[in-house]
């Protein structure tokens, strides 16, 4: 904890606060700190138990993802009260855990929109890597009906899934783009130069263009 305190930067905390994250640690320096500590499951559990956001991010970098059982991960997700902690928990731990699919299904249907957003994030991963068995038209139906009025984090996760379906599955691309154009979710999202807009029609079109260019170069 003293080491984490030494990494604190008030300017970083100020920027993170605008995104709902209550820590002031440079993530590159945090990763370097984790690299020095190496994998330490007991320490990771202790750090998580502090409730401190920076400590929890460090815990997620030094834990053993497969060491957690299903119920532990469910509790951890419900304790993950900032976007960055939830994002790292899902991407660095849950995706590498043998209970990932079971949790995906459970969280996807959860009435808590923050928990449901984790289910959508895991679904988006499957859309890209292992779509067999997923009902892609059904996912598009749900997105079309619910994304416009969904709470922010759930809306963001659903929009990512919409874009991923359009990018990875040509048969559903026109519909995915059409849904994005009609709903206009994140259409006016401020996007820095040289970054791709999260507005699904632009996102899909840009990523498909890059894929085609890469294929043509091979």
């Amino acid at each position: 904890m003293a080491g984490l305190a030494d990494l604190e930067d008030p300017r970083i905390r100020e920027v993170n606060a605008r995104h709902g994250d209550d820590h002031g640690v440079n993530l590159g320096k945090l990763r370097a700190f984790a690299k020095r500590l190496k994998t330490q499951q007991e320490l990771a559990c202790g750090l998580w138990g502090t409730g401190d956001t920076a400590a929890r991010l460090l815990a997620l970098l030094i834990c053993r993802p497969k060491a957690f059982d299903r119920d532990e991960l469910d509790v951890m997700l419900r304790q993950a009260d900032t976007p960055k902690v939830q994002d790292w928990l899902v991407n660095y731990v849950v995706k590498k855990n043998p209970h990932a699919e079971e949790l995906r299904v459970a969280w996807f249907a959860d009435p808590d929109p923050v928990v449901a957003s984790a289910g959508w994030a895991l679904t988006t991963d499957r859309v890209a890597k292992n779509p067999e068995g997923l009902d892609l038209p059904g996912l598009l139906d749900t997105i079309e009906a619910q994304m416009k009025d969904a709470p922010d984090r759930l809306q963001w996760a659903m929009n990512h899934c919409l874009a991923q379906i359009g990018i990875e599955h040509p048969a559903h691309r026109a519909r995915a783009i059409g849904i994005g154009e009609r709903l206009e979710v994140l259409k006016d999202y401020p996007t820095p130069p040289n970054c791709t807009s999260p507005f699904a029609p632009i996102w899909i079109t840009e990523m498909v263009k890059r894929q085609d260019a890469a294929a043509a170069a091979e």
Side-chain angles (χ1 to χ4, degrees):
M1 294 302 291
L4 286 171
D6 288 341
L7 298 178
E8 178 75 18
D9 184 328
R11 292 169 299 177
I12 293 176
R13 180 173 288 276
E14 184 181 341
V15 171
N16 286 336
R18 296 181 207 141
H19 304 286
D21 284 311
D22 59 347
H23 75 90
V25 177
N26 177 290
L27 296 182
K29 292 180 179 178
L30 186 71
R31 292 179 190 279
F33 190 17
K35 197 170 182 179
R36 292 198 302 272
L37 291 172
K38 299 187 171 63
T39 301
Q40 296 190 51
Q41 180 68 9
E42 187 175 348
L43 176 58
C45 292
L47 287 168
W48 184 271
T50 67
D52 178 80
T53 294
R56 285 185 164 177
L57 292 172
L58 180 59
L60 296 171
L61 293 173
I62 66 171
C63 72
R64 285 197 305 275
K66 294 179 181 178
F68 297 103
D69 65 30
R70 180 202 181 282
D71 291 343
E72 283 177 312
L73 290 174
D74 185 68
V75 169
M76 289 170 72
L77 180 72
R78 295 172 195 280
Q79 293 172 337
D81 51 5
T82 66
K84 184 62 69 176
V85 172
Q86 179 181 336
D87 180 55
W88 281 22
L89 175 63
V90 170
N91 285 291
Y92 298 166
V93 180
V94 178
K95 285 181 182 179
K96 300 175 183 177
N97 184 276
H99 301 288
E101 178 60 15
E102 183 183 353
L103 288 168
R104 181 190 75 81
V105 174
W107 290 342
F108 189 87
D110 198 279
D112 183 332
V114 174
V115 175
S117 71
W120 276 91
L122 292 170
T123 299
T124 300
D125 191 59
R126 271 203 58 189
V127 165
K129 298 176 182 176
N130 183 28
E132 188 174 348
L134 286 179
D135 177 9
L136 298 181
L139 288 173
L140 291 175
D141 289 344
T142 301
I143 292 167
E144 191 166 26
Q146 300 178 16
M147 183 172 73
K148 182 80 170 177
D149 299 317
D152 287 350
R153 283 163 75 178
L154 179 55
Q155 184 185 71
W156 188 273
M158 294 174 85
N159 183 70
H160 190 181
C161 190
L162 173 66
Q164 203 68 57
I165 291 172
I167 293 164
E168 300 291 343
H169 301 278
H172 301 287
R173 186 169 296 151
R175 186 182 175 200
I177 291 174
I179 290 171
E181 289 173 341
R182 284 192 299 280
L183 299 185
E184 298 188 334
V185 168
L186 301 176
K187 183 177 182 179
D188 299 319
Y189 191 84
T191 306
N194 302 318
C195 291
T196 302
S197 169
F199 179 47
I202 295 175
W203 190 354
I204 294 167
T205 302
E206 175 62 25
M207 296 309 295
V208 170
K209 185 169 71 174
R210 291 184 197 178
Q211 291 175 350
D212 290 346
E218 289 179 356

